[in-house]
Amino acid sequence: MISLSKLIFSKGNVGLLTAMIVSAASLYAPLANASAIYKVVDEKTGQVTFTDRPQNYEQQADKQVTQTSVMTRNDTLNSSNNSNTSGQSSSTAQAASTETTITPDADSSTVKTAVNYQLTITEPSEERAYRRPAQNIAVNVQVKPSLQAGDNVSIYLDGNEVAQGLSASIPTVDILPGSHSITAAVTNEKGKTLQQVARTIYVIQNNTTLQDNKRKAEQLLAYQNLSLYQKLLLKLRQSD
C-alpha cells in the first residue's frame, strides 16, 4: 500500500511536469506556426513570386524554386512590435530632449557695447560771420572712434536737419541776418542722440552786393524803355 506522502509527492511531480510542458509549448509556438517561404523565379520573364506552397511550381520546367530567409507573418509581427517599441522609445527620448532644450534670447546676440564718441566741428572752427547771399556756410565734422553700424551723424541749422554725414554746404541766400546755431549730432538706429556739439555763426547782409544788384536792375529797366533807334545807337557806341 502506497503511503500518503508518496502519493502527494507523485502528484506534485505530475503538476510540475505539466507546467514545464505548457511553458515549453508556449515558447515554441511561433516556430510551429512558422512556415518556410520559397522564392519562385520565372526563367522566361524574370518574374519573382514568393510562396509557402512550392509544390505548386516544382512541376513547372520554367520555374526555379529556392527556399529563402523571408520572415513569416508571426516573425514579422514580432519584429514590427520590437521596431515600434524601439521607435516609440526613440521618439520619447527625442521629445524629452526637445522639451529640455533652452533657446537663447535673440536680443542677447545683438547687444552692442556703448561707444563714447568724441564729436568736433572743425569748420567753422569758431564763431564766424557770413555775408548773405554771396557766401555759403561750409560745415565739416570729425568723429572718433569710427561710427558703429547703425549710428550716423546729422548736421542741423537752427534745429532743422540740413545734411547727413560729416560735411555740408549751407547757402545763406534764404537765411535771415542774425545769429544762428550749427549742430552736429550722432544718433543710433533707434534715433537716440549719443553725442552732439554746437557752434554759433552770424549771417550779415552784403550791402555792396545789394547795391550792385539794384544798380544793374535799374540799368536793365532803363535799357528796356529805350526806343529801337536808341538801342541801336547805344550798341554802335559800345562797339566803338
Side-chain angles (χ1 to χ4, degrees), residues 182-223:
I182 299 292
T183 304
V186 179
T187 56
N188 60 19
E189 56 189 351
K190 295 182 179 180
K192 180 182 178 180
T193 300
L194 305 178
Q195 188 61 270
Q196 66 178 17
V197 61
R199 175 94 64 235
T200 300
I201 55 96
Y202 300 90
V203 174
I204 60 176
Q205 186 65 55
N206 190 342
N207 293 327
T208 302
T209 302
L210 289 177
Q211 291 174 1
D212 290 342
N213 291 339
K214 184 178 180 180
R215 180 174 55 81
K216 291 178 181 179
E218 291 175 349
Q219 290 176 352
L220 179 60
L221 181 60
Y223 176 79

mmCIF file of all heavy atoms in Angstrom, residues 182-223:
data_model
loop_
_atom_site.group_PDB
_atom_site.id
_atom_site.type_symbol
_atom_site.label_atom_id
_atom_site.label_comp_id
_atom_site.label_asym_id
_atom_site.label_seq_id
_atom_site.Cartn_x
_atom_site.Cartn_y
_atom_site.Cartn_z
ATOM 1 N N ILE A 182 24.676 126.079 -35.523
ATOM 2 C CA ILE A 182 25.042 124.889 -36.295
ATOM 3 C C ILE A 182 25.283 123.759 -35.295
ATOM 4 O O ILE A 182 26.092 123.890 -34.367
ATOM 5 C CB ILE A 182 26.317 125.127 -37.125
ATOM 6 C CG1 ILE A 182 26.108 126.266 -38.114
ATOM 7 C CG2 ILE A 182 26.730 123.835 -37.851
ATOM 8 C CD1 ILE A 182 25.121 125.948 -39.206
ATOM 9 N N THR A 183 24.594 122.628 -35.458
ATOM 10 C CA THR A 183 24.706 121.497 -34.526
ATOM 11 C C THR A 183 25.027 120.222 -35.288
ATOM 12 O O THR A 183 24.439 119.966 -36.353
ATOM 13 C CB THR A 183 23.406 121.291 -33.727
ATOM 14 O OG1 THR A 183 23.070 122.504 -33.056
ATOM 15 C CG2 THR A 183 23.558 120.177 -32.707
ATOM 16 N N ALA A 184 25.955 119.439 -34.764
ATOM 17 C CA ALA A 184 26.246 118.095 -35.291
ATOM 18 C C ALA A 184 25.914 117.091 -34.199
ATOM 19 O O ALA A 184 26.243 117.307 -33.026
ATOM 20 C CB ALA A 184 27.701 117.976 -35.704
ATOM 21 N N ALA A 185 25.250 115.990 -34.572
ATOM 22 C CA ALA A 185 24.810 115.006 -33.574
ATOM 23 C C ALA A 185 25.001 113.592 -34.107
ATOM 24 O O ALA A 185 24.771 113.324 -35.293
ATOM 25 C CB ALA A 185 23.356 115.238 -33.201
ATOM 26 N N VAL A 186 25.413 112.707 -33.212
ATOM 27 C CA VAL A 186 25.500 111.268 -33.527
ATOM 28 C C VAL A 186 24.266 110.596 -32.943
ATOM 29 O O VAL A 186 23.974 110.742 -31.747
ATOM 30 C CB VAL A 186 26.765 110.633 -32.933
ATOM 31 C CG1 VAL A 186 26.805 109.132 -33.254
ATOM 32 C CG2 VAL A 186 28.003 111.314 -33.475
ATOM 33 N N THR A 187 23.535 109.862 -33.761
ATOM 34 C CA THR A 187 22.340 109.137 -33.302
ATOM 35 C C THR A 187 22.470 107.664 -33.674
ATOM 36 O O THR A 187 23.159 107.316 -34.636
ATOM 37 C CB THR A 187 21.059 109.718 -33.933
ATOM 38 O OG1 THR A 187 21.183 109.683 -35.360
ATOM 39 C CG2 THR A 187 20.841 111.161 -33.491
ATOM 40 N N ASN A 188 21.791 106.817 -32.895
ATOM 41 C CA ASN A 188 21.799 105.389 -33.222
ATOM 42 C C ASN A 188 20.605 105.049 -34.092
ATOM 43 O O ASN A 188 19.818 105.926 -34.481
ATOM 44 C CB ASN A 188 21.821 104.526 -31.947
ATOM 45 C CG ASN A 188 20.615 104.784 -31.056
ATOM 46 O OD1 ASN A 188 19.584 105.317 -31.495
ATOM 47 N ND2 ASN A 188 20.712 104.400 -29.792
ATOM 48 N N GLU A 189 20.453 103.762 -34.397
ATOM 49 C CA GLU A 189 19.394 103.329 -35.314
ATOM 50 C C GLU A 189 17.997 103.527 -34.749
ATOM 51 O O GLU A 189 17.020 103.533 -35.498
ATOM 52 C CB GLU A 189 19.597 101.861 -35.688
ATOM 53 C CG GLU A 189 19.669 100.927 -34.489
ATOM 54 C CD GLU A 189 20.087 99.533 -34.881
ATOM 55 O OE1 GLU A 189 20.147 99.255 -36.102
ATOM 56 O OE2 GLU A 189 20.358 98.722 -33.984
ATOM 57 N N LYS A 190 17.891 103.719 -33.423
ATOM 58 C CA LYS A 190 16.596 103.979 -32.801
ATOM 59 C C LYS A 190 16.305 105.470 -32.681
ATOM 60 O O LYS A 190 15.268 105.847 -32.131
ATOM 61 C CB LYS A 190 16.545 103.325 -31.419
ATOM 62 C CG LYS A 190 16.620 101.810 -31.467
ATOM 63 C CD LYS A 190 16.523 101.210 -30.073
ATOM 64 C CE LYS A 190 16.573 99.690 -30.126
ATOM 65 N NZ LYS A 190 16.480 99.082 -28.777
ATOM 66 N N GLY A 191 17.235 106.329 -33.165
ATOM 67 C CA GLY A 191 17.017 107.767 -33.131
ATOM 68 C C GLY A 191 17.485 108.435 -31.848
ATOM 69 O O GLY A 191 17.285 109.637 -31.669
ATOM 70 N N LYS A 192 18.123 107.672 -30.969
ATOM 71 C CA LYS A 192 18.601 108.243 -29.717
ATOM 72 C C LYS A 192 19.901 109.001 -29.952
ATOM 73 O O LYS A 192 20.808 108.513 -30.622
ATOM 74 C CB LYS A 192 18.827 107.138 -28.689
ATOM 75 C CG LYS A 192 19.323 107.657 -27.343
ATOM 76 C CD LYS A 192 19.572 106.510 -26.376
ATOM 77 C CE LYS A 192 20.112 107.015 -25.047
ATOM 78 N NZ LYS A 192 20.365 105.918 -24.089
ATOM 79 N N THR A 193 20.007 110.219 -29.404
ATOM 80 C CA THR A 193 21.210 111.028 -29.550
ATOM 81 C C THR A 193 22.287 110.519 -28.603
ATOM 82 O O THR A 193 22.092 110.460 -27.388
ATOM 83 C CB THR A 193 20.911 112.503 -29.258
ATOM 84 O OG1 THR A 193 19.916 112.977 -30.172
ATOM 85 C CG2 THR A 193 22.164 113.357 -29.404
ATOM 86 N N LEU A 194 23.446 110.143 -29.178
ATOM 87 C CA LEU A 194 24.558 109.623 -28.394
ATOM 88 C C LEU A 194 25.572 110.710 -28.040
ATOM 89 O O LEU A 194 26.192 110.656 -26.987
ATOM 90 C CB LEU A 194 25.255 108.497 -29.162
ATOM 91 C CG LEU A 194 24.360 107.336 -29.626
ATOM 92 C CD1 LEU A 194 25.175 106.328 -30.418
ATOM 93 C CD2 LEU A 194 23.683 106.670 -28.436
ATOM 94 N N GLN A 195 25.742 111.685 -28.931
ATOM 95 C CA GLN A 195 26.667 112.782 -28.701
ATOM 96 C C GLN A 195 26.313 113.926 -29.635
ATOM 97 O O GLN A 195 25.825 113.702 -30.739
ATOM 98 C CB GLN A 195 28.110 112.327 -28.976
ATOM 99 C CG GLN A 195 29.192 113.320 -28.587
ATOM 100 C CD GLN A 195 29.197 113.646 -27.116
ATOM 101 O OE1 GLN A 195 28.518 114.587 -26.700
ATOM 102 N NE2 GLN A 195 29.956 112.863 -26.337
ATOM 103 N N GLN A 196 26.541 115.179 -29.199
ATOM 104 C CA GLN A 196 26.282 116.321 -30.062
ATOM 105 C C GLN A 196 27.174 117.492 -29.663
ATOM 106 O O GLN A 196 27.670 117.560 -28.533
ATOM 107 C CB GLN A 196 24.812 116.748 -30.021
ATOM 108 C CG GLN A 196 24.337 117.305 -28.695
ATOM 109 C CD GLN A 196 22.890 117.754 -28.755
ATOM 110 O OE1 GLN A 196 22.155 117.382 -29.659
ATOM 111 N NE2 GLN A 196 22.477 118.557 -27.789
ATOM 112 N N VAL A 197 27.386 118.391 -30.624
ATOM 113 C CA VAL A 197 28.193 119.587 -30.393
ATOM 114 C C VAL A 197 27.591 120.710 -31.239
ATOM 115 O O VAL A 197 27.032 120.459 -32.311
ATOM 116 C CB VAL A 197 29.671 119.330 -30.772
ATOM 117 C CG1 VAL A 197 29.816 118.982 -32.239
ATOM 118 C CG2 VAL A 197 30.544 120.515 -30.394
ATOM 119 N N ALA A 198 27.686 121.956 -30.753
ATOM 120 C CA ALA A 198 27.045 123.095 -31.425
ATOM 121 C C ALA A 198 28.045 124.231 -31.608
ATOM 122 O O ALA A 198 29.033 124.351 -30.873
ATOM 123 C CB ALA A 198 25.828 123.558 -30.642
ATOM 124 N N ARG A 199 27.770 125.057 -32.601
ATOM 125 C CA ARG A 199 28.574 126.249 -32.880
ATOM 126 C C ARG A 199 27.649 127.369 -33.335
ATOM 127 O O ARG A 199 26.712 127.134 -34.085
ATOM 128 C CB ARG A 199 29.609 125.948 -33.966
ATOM 129 C CG ARG A 199 30.409 127.145 -34.418
ATOM 130 C CD ARG A 199 31.704 127.299 -33.690
ATOM 131 N NE ARG A 199 32.608 126.192 -33.951
ATOM 132 C CZ ARG A 199 33.152 125.446 -32.971
ATOM 133 N NH1 ARG A 199 32.827 125.674 -31.715
ATOM 134 N NH2 ARG A 199 33.993 124.468 -33.256
ATOM 135 N N THR A 200 27.930 128.621 -32.872
ATOM 136 C CA THR A 200 27.129 129.785 -33.269
ATOM 137 C C THR A 200 27.809 130.515 -34.418
ATOM 138 O O THR A 200 29.023 130.760 -34.390
ATOM 139 C CB THR A 200 26.959 130.752 -32.090
ATOM 140 O OG1 THR A 200 26.299 130.066 -31.012
ATOM 141 C CG2 THR A 200 26.124 131.960 -32.485
ATOM 142 N N ILE A 201 27.030 130.847 -35.437
ATOM 143 C CA ILE A 201 27.544 131.627 -36.574
ATOM 144 C C ILE A 201 26.616 132.837 -36.775
ATOM 145 O O ILE A 201 25.500 132.877 -36.244
ATOM 146 C CB ILE A 201 27.637 130.782 -37.859
ATOM 147 C CG1 ILE A 201 26.276 130.123 -38.209
ATOM 148 C CG2 ILE A 201 28.689 129.684 -37.672
ATOM 149 C CD1 ILE A 201 25.475 130.885 -39.175
ATOM 150 N N TYR A 202 27.103 133.788 -37.571
ATOM 151 C CA TYR A 202 26.330 135.007 -37.824
ATOM 152 C C TYR A 202 26.211 135.220 -39.332
ATOM 153 O O TYR A 202 27.151 134.966 -40.088
ATOM 154 C CB TYR A 202 27.011 136.218 -37.182
ATOM 155 C CG TYR A 202 27.156 136.095 -35.682
ATOM 156 C CD1 TYR A 202 28.290 135.514 -35.110
ATOM 157 C CD2 TYR A 202 26.154 136.547 -34.833
ATOM 158 C CE1 TYR A 202 28.419 135.377 -33.742
ATOM 159 C CE2 TYR A 202 26.277 136.413 -33.452
ATOM 160 C CZ TYR A 202 27.412 135.828 -32.923
ATOM 161 O OH TYR A 202 27.542 135.702 -31.557
ATOM 162 N N VAL A 203 25.062 135.653 -39.720
ATOM 163 C CA VAL A 203 24.815 135.994 -41.122
ATOM 164 C C VAL A 203 24.542 137.494 -41.184
ATOM 165 O O VAL A 203 23.696 138.000 -40.448
ATOM 166 C CB VAL A 203 23.632 135.187 -41.693
ATOM 167 C CG1 VAL A 203 23.300 135.663 -43.110
ATOM 168 C CG2 VAL A 203 23.940 133.698 -41.688
ATOM 169 N N ILE A 204 25.285 138.198 -42.062
ATOM 170 C CA ILE A 204 25.095 139.638 -42.228
ATOM 171 C C ILE A 204 24.704 139.925 -43.667
ATOM 172 O O ILE A 204 25.046 139.169 -44.587
ATOM 173 C CB ILE A 204 26.363 140.425 -41.845
ATOM 174 C CG1 ILE A 204 27.539 140.010 -42.732
ATOM 175 C CG2 ILE A 204 26.702 140.225 -40.377
ATOM 176 C CD1 ILE A 204 28.805 140.814 -42.484
ATOM 177 N N GLN A 205 23.999 141.022 -43.843
ATOM 178 C CA GLN A 205 23.562 141.383 -45.183
ATOM 179 C C GLN A 205 24.736 142.007 -45.937
ATOM 180 O O GLN A 205 25.416 142.902 -45.436
ATOM 181 C CB GLN A 205 22.415 142.393 -45.118
ATOM 182 C CG GLN A 205 21.804 142.723 -46.457
ATOM 183 C CD GLN A 205 21.130 141.511 -47.075
ATOM 184 O OE1 GLN A 205 20.278 140.888 -46.468
ATOM 185 N NE2 GLN A 205 21.526 141.169 -48.291
ATOM 186 N N ASN A 206 24.957 141.532 -47.158
ATOM 187 C CA ASN A 206 26.028 142.069 -48.001
ATOM 188 C C ASN A 206 25.479 143.298 -48.718
ATOM 189 O O ASN A 206 24.891 143.203 -49.798
ATOM 190 C CB ASN A 206 26.503 141.009 -49.004
ATOM 191 C CG ASN A 206 27.768 141.423 -49.724
ATOM 192 O OD1 ASN A 206 28.130 142.603 -49.743
ATOM 193 N ND2 ASN A 206 28.444 140.458 -50.329
ATOM 194 N N ASN A 207 25.678 144.509 -48.146
ATOM 195 C CA ASN A 207 25.110 145.731 -48.701
ATOM 196 C C ASN A 207 25.706 146.064 -50.055
ATOM 197 O O ASN A 207 25.027 146.580 -50.941
ATOM 198 C CB ASN A 207 25.340 146.894 -47.731
ATOM 199 C CG ASN A 207 24.548 146.699 -46.443
ATOM 200 O OD1 ASN A 207 23.453 146.143 -46.449
ATOM 201 N ND2 ASN A 207 25.123 147.147 -45.332
ATOM 202 N N THR A 208 26.988 145.791 -50.236
ATOM 203 C CA THR A 208 27.633 146.095 -51.522
ATOM 204 C C THR A 208 26.997 145.293 -52.635
ATOM 205 O O THR A 208 26.715 145.805 -53.726
ATOM 206 C CB THR A 208 29.144 145.781 -51.438
ATOM 207 O OG1 THR A 208 29.738 146.542 -50.386
ATOM 208 C CG2 THR A 208 29.839 146.118 -52.750
ATOM 209 N N THR A 209 26.753 144.032 -52.375
ATOM 210 C CA THR A 209 26.121 143.180 -53.388
ATOM 211 C C THR A 209 24.707 143.664 -53.681
ATOM 212 O O THR A 209 24.269 143.681 -54.853
ATOM 213 C CB THR A 209 26.082 141.722 -52.905
ATOM 214 O OG1 THR A 209 27.410 141.285 -52.637
ATOM 215 C CG2 THR A 209 25.451 140.816 -53.942
ATOM 216 N N LEU A 210 23.971 144.056 -52.640
ATOM 217 C CA LEU A 210 22.618 144.553 -52.851
ATOM 218 C C LEU A 210 22.627 145.818 -53.707
ATOM 219 O O LEU A 210 21.777 145.988 -54.596
ATOM 220 C CB LEU A 210 21.941 144.819 -51.509
ATOM 221 C CG LEU A 210 21.551 143.586 -50.690
ATOM 222 C CD1 LEU A 210 20.964 144.020 -49.347
ATOM 223 C CD2 LEU A 210 20.545 142.729 -51.451
ATOM 224 N N GLN A 211 23.574 146.691 -53.435
ATOM 225 C CA GLN A 211 23.653 147.926 -54.208
ATOM 226 C C GLN A 211 23.998 147.640 -55.663
ATOM 227 O O GLN A 211 23.441 148.245 -56.590
ATOM 228 C CB GLN A 211 24.693 148.859 -53.584
ATOM 229 C CG GLN A 211 24.277 149.424 -52.237
ATOM 230 C CD GLN A 211 25.363 150.226 -51.560
ATOM 231 O OE1 GLN A 211 26.472 150.387 -52.103
ATOM 232 N NE2 GLN A 211 25.069 150.760 -50.383
ATOM 233 N N ASP A 212 24.930 146.702 -55.866
ATOM 234 C CA ASP A 212 25.285 146.341 -57.249
ATOM 235 C C ASP A 212 24.092 145.735 -57.981
ATOM 236 O O ASP A 212 23.832 146.057 -59.151
ATOM 237 C CB ASP A 212 26.459 145.359 -57.249
ATOM 238 C CG ASP A 212 27.763 146.013 -56.811
ATOM 239 O OD1 ASP A 212 27.835 147.260 -56.849
ATOM 240 O OD2 ASP A 212 28.694 145.267 -56.434
ATOM 241 N N ASN A 213 23.363 144.879 -57.291
ATOM 242 C CA ASN A 213 22.194 144.253 -57.914
ATOM 243 C C ASN A 213 21.118 145.292 -58.223
ATOM 244 O O ASN A 213 20.456 145.224 -59.263
ATOM 245 C CB ASN A 213 21.635 143.158 -57.005
ATOM 246 C CG ASN A 213 22.567 141.966 -56.900
ATOM 247 O OD1 ASN A 213 23.417 141.756 -57.770
ATOM 248 N ND2 ASN A 213 22.418 141.176 -55.834
ATOM 249 N N LYS A 214 20.971 146.257 -57.316
ATOM 250 C CA LYS A 214 19.979 147.301 -57.530
ATOM 251 C C LYS A 214 20.346 148.174 -58.718
ATOM 252 O O LYS A 214 19.497 148.526 -59.546
ATOM 253 C CB LYS A 214 19.846 148.147 -56.275
ATOM 254 C CG LYS A 214 18.772 149.216 -56.366
ATOM 255 C CD LYS A 214 18.679 149.991 -55.054
ATOM 256 C CE LYS A 214 17.600 151.066 -55.152
ATOM 257 N NZ LYS A 214 17.496 151.849 -53.881
ATOM 258 N N ARG A 215 21.624 148.482 -58.820
ATOM 259 C CA ARG A 215 22.087 149.305 -59.933
ATOM 260 C C ARG A 215 21.914 148.572 -61.258
ATOM 261 O O ARG A 215 21.482 149.153 -62.261
ATOM 262 C CB ARG A 215 23.556 149.665 -59.718
ATOM 263 C CG ARG A 215 24.172 150.538 -60.819
ATOM 264 C CD ARG A 215 25.577 150.951 -60.423
ATOM 265 N NE ARG A 215 26.406 149.798 -60.105
ATOM 266 C CZ ARG A 215 27.001 149.040 -61.024
ATOM 267 N NH1 ARG A 215 26.829 149.292 -62.321
ATOM 268 N NH2 ARG A 215 27.756 148.035 -60.643
ATOM 269 N N LYS A 216 22.233 147.295 -61.300
ATOM 270 C CA LYS A 216 22.063 146.516 -62.526
ATOM 271 C C LYS A 216 20.596 146.426 -62.929
ATOM 272 O O LYS A 216 20.261 146.473 -64.116
ATOM 273 C CB LYS A 216 22.653 145.123 -62.335
ATOM 274 C CG LYS A 216 24.168 145.110 -62.213
ATOM 275 C CD LYS A 216 24.674 143.698 -61.969
ATOM 276 C CE LYS A 216 26.194 143.676 -61.816
ATOM 277 N NZ LYS A 216 26.728 142.320 -61.549
ATOM 278 N N ALA A 217 19.722 146.283 -61.946
ATOM 279 C CA ALA A 217 18.294 146.197 -62.254
ATOM 280 C C ALA A 217 17.790 147.515 -62.837
ATOM 281 O O ALA A 217 16.977 147.521 -63.773
ATOM 282 C CB ALA A 217 17.518 145.837 -60.992
ATOM 283 N N GLU A 218 18.273 148.617 -62.291
ATOM 284 C CA GLU A 218 17.851 149.932 -62.813
ATOM 285 C C GLU A 218 18.363 150.150 -64.230
ATOM 286 O O GLU A 218 17.647 150.692 -65.086
ATOM 287 C CB GLU A 218 18.371 151.029 -61.887
ATOM 288 C CG GLU A 218 17.678 151.040 -60.528
ATOM 289 C CD GLU A 218 18.295 152.064 -59.586
ATOM 290 O OE1 GLU A 218 19.397 152.603 -59.931
ATOM 291 O OE2 GLU A 218 17.734 152.316 -58.505
ATOM 292 N N GLN A 219 19.586 149.731 -64.510
ATOM 293 C CA GLN A 219 20.145 149.871 -65.861
ATOM 294 C C GLN A 219 19.371 149.019 -66.870
ATOM 295 O O GLN A 219 19.116 149.441 -68.001
ATOM 296 C CB GLN A 219 21.619 149.472 -65.853
ATOM 297 C CG GLN A 219 22.523 150.448 -65.122
ATOM 298 C CD GLN A 219 23.956 149.967 -65.058
ATOM 299 O OE1 GLN A 219 24.259 148.817 -65.432
ATOM 300 N NE2 GLN A 219 24.864 150.846 -64.615
ATOM 301 N N LEU A 220 19.003 147.798 -66.472
ATOM 302 C CA LEU A 220 18.233 146.931 -67.369
ATOM 303 C C LEU A 220 16.871 147.526 -67.664
ATOM 304 O O LEU A 220 16.398 147.502 -68.821
ATOM 305 C CB LEU A 220 18.081 145.541 -66.739
ATOM 306 C CG LEU A 220 17.282 144.507 -67.530
ATOM 307 C CD1 LEU A 220 17.928 144.252 -68.884
ATOM 308 C CD2 LEU A 220 17.142 143.219 -66.746
ATOM 309 N N LEU A 221 16.227 148.082 -66.646
ATOM 310 C CA LEU A 221 14.917 148.695 -66.854
ATOM 311 C C LEU A 221 15.021 149.905 -67.772
ATOM 312 O O LEU A 221 14.175 150.096 -68.664
ATOM 313 C CB LEU A 221 14.325 149.111 -65.496
ATOM 314 C CG LEU A 221 12.939 149.761 -65.539
ATOM 315 C CD1 LEU A 221 11.916 148.797 -66.157
ATOM 316 C CD2 LEU A 221 12.503 150.186 -64.140
ATOM 317 N N ALA A 222 16.064 150.706 -67.618
ATOM 318 C CA ALA A 222 16.254 151.887 -68.466
ATOM 319 C C ALA A 222 16.510 151.483 -69.920
ATOM 320 O O ALA A 222 15.997 152.111 -70.855
ATOM 321 C CB ALA A 222 17.413 152.720 -67.930
ATOM 322 N N TYR A 223 17.276 150.392 -70.106
ATOM 323 C CA TYR A 223 17.541 149.922 -71.468
ATOM 324 C C TYR A 223 16.270 149.434 -72.137
ATOM 325 O O TYR A 223 16.034 149.650 -73.332
ATOM 326 C CB TYR A 223 18.602 148.826 -71.425
ATOM 327 C CG TYR A 223 18.891 148.209 -72.758
ATOM 328 C CD1 TYR A 223 19.710 148.845 -73.686
ATOM 329 C CD2 TYR A 223 18.344 146.961 -73.109
ATOM 330 C CE1 TYR A 223 19.970 148.278 -74.925
ATOM 331 C CE2 TYR A 223 18.604 146.386 -74.338
ATOM 332 C CZ TYR A 223 19.423 147.058 -75.236
ATOM 333 O OH TYR A 223 19.669 146.479 -76.475
#
